[in-house]
Amino acid sequence: MRLRANEYPKESARVIREEPHVRESVTGATLNFDAKRRAAYAEVDSEQWRHFAEAVKNHVLMNLEHYLEQAEAALERSGVRVHWAEDAEAAQRIVAALVREKGVKRAVKAKTMLSEELDINPLLESLGVKVLETDLGEYIIQLLEQPPSHIVGPAIHLNLEQIRRLFHERFGTPLDAAPDALAAAARKLLRQGFLEADLGISGANFVVAETGTLVLIENEGNIRLSTSTPRLHVALVGIEKLLPRFSDLSVFLSLTARAATGQRLGTYVSLIQGPRRPDETDGPEEVHVVFVDNGRSSVLADDEAWETLRCVRCAACLNACPVYRQTGGHAYGYVYSGPIGAVLSPGLVGLENTKPLPYASSLCGACFQACPVRIPIPKLLLTWRHRAVEEGLTPRFERTALKGYALAMTQPWAYRLASKALRLLPKKALDNTVVPVLKAWVEGRAGLQPSPRSFRELWEEGID
Ligand code: SF4
């Protein structure tokens, strides 16, 4: 798990300055996703669907204990072994025990953000297991040893040229290979991986409490292969991922696909109802579900932050966010980036570790408009900002500057004095060499240049 969230301001400035292709790739991909999402919402009464989805998720969260018990009983009736992990260490212990007990040597992974949160890949590698990411985007960033930069499109920060070069170096494909040829090269290697794996690791989009059904949505078919070909399937599931009834899926499947990629439905929807039965030829011998808390209970107990747990990880808020589009996800320094990352990460790993993230927003509200479960992200951003101030986590300079700003904006004499003083500063004074506190600001931007005359003076003289 990366946790460099406190470096967000510097890291985002560095990405903008040193990696301009990231902005280009991410902006192009997110604008495309967002346009498709808007068109897909326009086909249905999306407002009504969103209100329904919000109400269902609220009901689950308000009755979480009941639905978790119901889900556990239904899963076990289907022959699934259920485990409970209070934190990342507990989840790792469960996975490690299964790996040792079942003699796992090779694992295939279907894209799961929770496994990133829990550091499952390093764990498996430390146990001598060969791990293969099977989502194409995840596979690409695994080759590059990078974390995902987007919940749905983990490699959207890369452009086609970079992927061509990578595949040329690794697999000898031509430097001008078409995207189809690149996908075919990856598919050939991944196929062998599916056949050789003992363990398939997945997440779950939803678990239906009523029936104990694991629900996975995808477009590549790799999730279905990862969960059905190896003899062992382990699903890592956040405790908030429940739906009460099977009938709820009719809205959630379509709404999630529309929000994520603008599709009416994901290309593949897997409904997993336990391991292979004696009369079946396909499927794993064992299915294990690990329900993971890892900070979610404390978010649920937080009167002001609990609504973040409605999230279905569709990434629509990332695609709609003008701030995320500038840098992509790596600058956020934690698994979850963009608007949802800015409000979820402080709840999961502490505001003291993530305090700049709630400021990574213009508060334009586009994230709320896009969100299929109506999470009030702008309100939550303000809540975390307010807490950062209350807890004294903002820099001393910022607190002093804001006190001075408040004085200047409420006392005309102080305003006049401050604007005169600023204009009297030598030109270089606002440069990073003279005022070090402005270094992070001016690093990626032009230096500040005060006007020689104040607005008030210009106004009194008459502005055209
Ligand atoms: S906050 Fe809403 S829009 Fe963002 S990932 Fe979660 S469900 Fe999707």
Side-chain angles (χ1 to χ4, degrees), residues 151 310-318 340 367 370-373 375 377:
I151 299 174
R310 286 204 297 268
C311 180
V312 296
R313 307 282 190 270
C314 67
C317 57
L318 278 66
I340 184 58
C367 47
C371 179
V373 283
I375 296 174
I377 295 174

Side-chain angles (χ1 to χ4, degrees), residues 316-338:
C317 57
L318 278 66
N319 300 332
C321 179
V323 174
Y324 175 87
R325 282 184 196 145
Q326 303 306 304
T327 59
H330 289 164
Y332 288 77
Y334 185 56
V335 180
Y336 305 106
S337 58

